[in-house]
Structure formats: C-alpha cells, structure tokens
Amino acid sequence: MTEPRALIRLDKWLWHARFFKTRTLAAKVVSGGHVRVNSSKAAKPAHKVGAGDTLTFPQGSQIRIVRIIAPGERRGPAPEAQTLYDDLTPKRDDVPPSPRYDGKGRPTKKERRSLDLNRFGPLE
C-alpha cells in the first residue's frame, strides 16, 4: 500500500513558508477568497494542502504562483522555508513608470509641457 500524503492547513502552510508574517494574515487572505488551490478557490483557511498542489495568491503588488514540495514541520528560517515550494511566478521586467527614473530627478517645466503636449495634444 502507498502512504497517504501528508496534509497541512492552507493558512498554516502559507505562514510556514513565510509568505505572510502572521497566520492570522494568511487566514484573512484565504477566507477573503483570494487563494486558489489547483485553480479552484479555497473557501476556508482549514483547507488541506499537500505536496504537488499549486497555489495562486496575491502578495503585495504581484500574484504569486507556487507549487508545494513539502508540508513543513515548523516556521523556520527563510532558507528552510524556501525548500518547501517551487516558485512558478513569471519574472516581470521592472520598468519604472517615470521616464526620468534614472535618478535625474523631476522633469523640468519645459519637459512637462512637451509631455502634456504629446499626451493631450495642443491646448486651445
């Protein structure tokens, strides 16, 4: 016979893997309907997950996609937590929203006028 796979609560695993600072925050995200387990919404923080499951959830300003490798025994240091999952999140190019992000400061008044002219057309 095969051994049953080890399962752990979803909120507890997210906390063990250090995606959230507290287990309460992890539970709020799950109960808010923001976490998907294998492409279906997790309804409760007590939803059981195990190795092989894929999670999709928001973290900060990005959407994280991770595949669980191990359930984890405890909330250890970050290098230990990173062994619990494979990060499948697509890498995004960090393109700054400002054209003058190169450290040159704010645009001059002349540059702002030309930006507005390009954006809105000539004012009448």
Side-chain angles (χ1 to χ4, degrees), residues 71-116:
E73 302 277 326
R74 66 187 184 111
R75 183 171 201 224
E80 182 181 318
Q82 290 169 351
T83 63
L84 299 178
Y85 62 91
D86 276 335
D87 195 357
L88 306 174
T89 306
K91 303 296 180 206
R92 39 178 227 184
D93 296 332
D94 288 330
V95 177
S98 171
R100 296 197 41 108
Y101 183 74
D102 302 330
K104 297 176 183 160
R106 292 175 45 172
T108 64
K109 189 168 186 173
K110 182 178 180 183
E111 291 169 334
R112 284 196 311 257
R113 283 191 203 119
S114 68
L115 286 172
D116 288 342

Side-chain angles (χ1 to χ4, degrees), residues 46-69:
H47 187 95
K48 298 292 185 181
V49 294
D53 288 336
T54 302
L55 306 179
T56 307
F57 57 93
Q59 184 184 33
S61 63
Q62 68 177 12
I63 302 295
R64 299 293 300 263
I65 303 168
V66 297
R67 180 179 298 123
I68 299 174
I69 295 174

Side-chain angles (χ1 to χ4, degrees), residues 13-77:
W13 187 87
L14 288 168
W15 177 66
H16 279 189
R18 294 188 161 266
F19 286 109
F20 295 97
K21 194 169 187 172
T22 65
R23 191 167 157 193
T24 304
L25 284 175
K28 283 182 183 178
V29 171
V30 175
S31 60
H34 303 293
V35 179
R36 291 182 176 270
V37 178
N38 298 328
S39 74
S40 60
K41 283 188 179 181
K44 302 182 288 187
H47 187 95
K48 298 292 185 181
V49 294
D53 288 336
T54 302
L55 306 179
T56 307
F57 57 93
Q59 184 184 33
S61 63
Q62 68 177 12
I63 302 295
R64 299 293 300 263
I65 303 168
V66 297
R67 180 179 298 123
I68 299 174
I69 295 174
E73 302 277 326
R74 66 187 184 111
R75 183 171 201 224

